[in-house]
Amino acid sequence: NIPKLRPDVAIVETTYGNRLHANRQVEEKRLIELVRECILQKKKILIPAFALGRAQEVLLILRAAIQNQEIPAVPVYVDGMVRDINIMYTRNPTFLKNTLGKRVMRGNEPFYTKEIRAIAPMQNREDLLSGSDPVIFLSSSGMLTGGPSVLYAQKLVSSENACIIITGYQDEESPGRQLLNLLENPKDASLSLGGVSVPVKCRIEQVGL
């Protein structure tokens, strides 16, 4: 039991304690519209995402949008720790949201479709990046601090035919936050990724999920 205290001050850690979030449905719709616009412009899209929770949310949004023909059916490649977490979700359907858990228990794949695929451990990412057709990469880490998302960003950030969509919190020192800062001050933009400075020419967007 917690003793009956009468504290004068409470210190509470919170990431978004002083902010109001945008409406979730509005932001999901905006994500779909951004993806659709970039696909029609034949851009490659990188969505760095936290492997646990956020990546699965984004996958389900993209999956539904493709099935509802809200965005064209382009390849969506899933990479990094996201793949492993997806396996754990699938193995534990009783802990999932009711509709998603029932989908798994009926024997249906919850995340992947013919368009949405996990990248094989030894698959050549360069081949996926080299084509001219639009494609979506969803990969950890969400702040571009490590993992395959850094590799994709190194190739895409200097391309005018690419877009990076940030969907989660970015630490003050992270490359993801550096990208967001460029939205306010885009002149002579460069980004440090994996110890290498790369000129920024891609489109940068933020969606408040």
Side-chain angles (χ1 to χ4, degrees), residues 101-110:
K102 285 182 177 179
R103 182 188 297 174
V104 176
M105 287 188 280
R106 285 197 297 264
N108 297 324
E109 166 56 49

Side-chain angles (χ1 to χ4, degrees), residues 12 18 32 39 54 56 65 85 88 105 114 118 131 147 149 156-157 169 171 174 182 200 208:
V12 181
N18 63 344
I32 293 169
I39 290 173
R54 178 53 45 80
Q56 289 74 32
I85 299 296
M88 297 309 297
M105 287 188 280
K114 65 179 181 179
S149 67
L156 297 178
V157 77
Y169 175 77
D171 184 79
S174 69
L182 295 178
V200 179

Side-chain angles (χ1 to χ4, degrees), residues 42-204:
K42 297 189 178 299
K43 292 182 185 291
K44 289 181 171 58
I45 302 167
L46 170 62
I47 306 177
F50 302 126
L52 176 61
R54 178 53 45 80
Q56 289 74 32
E57 290 176 338
V58 173
L59 272 179
L60 293 175
I61 292 169
L62 294 177
R63 174 178 167 140
I66 291 173
Q67 290 178 338
N68 296 333
Q69 299 183 336
E70 294 175 290
I71 61 176
V74 301
V76 180
Y77 293 109
V78 180
D79 207 349
M81 194 184 294
V82 180
R83 298 169 304 185
D84 301 318
I85 299 296
N86 284 353
I87 292 172
M88 297 309 297
Y89 270 66
T90 305
R91 288 178 180 173
N92 296 276
T94 56
F95 295 100
L96 301 182
K97 186 178 178 180
N98 198 24
T99 52
L100 189 60
K102 285 182 177 179
R103 182 188 297 174
V104 176
M105 287 188 280
R106 285 197 297 264
N108 297 324
E109 166 56 49
F111 302 113
Y112 299 117
T113 64
K114 65 179 181 179
E115 293 88 12
I116 303 174
R117 318 163 203 169
I119 290 183
M122 300 302 293
Q123 192 164 350
N124 191 340
R125 297 181 178 100
E126 294 284 345
D127 291 343
L128 303 177
L129 286 160
S130 63
S132 58
D133 293 331
V135 63
I136 301 170
F137 297 98
L138 177 72
S139 178
S140 50
S141 70
M143 297 188 194
L144 297 174
T145 53
S149 67
V150 175
L151 302 176
Y152 294 119
Q154 285 174 335
K155 297 294 183 181
L156 297 178
V157 77
S158 59
S159 171
E160 294 180 354
N161 290 320
C163 179
I164 298 179
I165 302 176
I166 303 293
T167 64
Y169 175 77
Q170 303 296 306
D171 184 79
E172 293 293 337
E173 305 298 323
S174 69
R177 176 55 63 91
Q178 292 179 42
L179 271 184
L180 292 183
N181 291 341
L182 295 178
L183 290 173
E184 299 177 1
N185 185 20
K187 291 185 178 180
D188 300 323
S190 64
L191 178 68
S192 179
L193 285 166
V196 179
S197 182
V198 185
V200 179
K201 298 180 183 178
C202 70
R203 180 176 176 179
I204 305 165

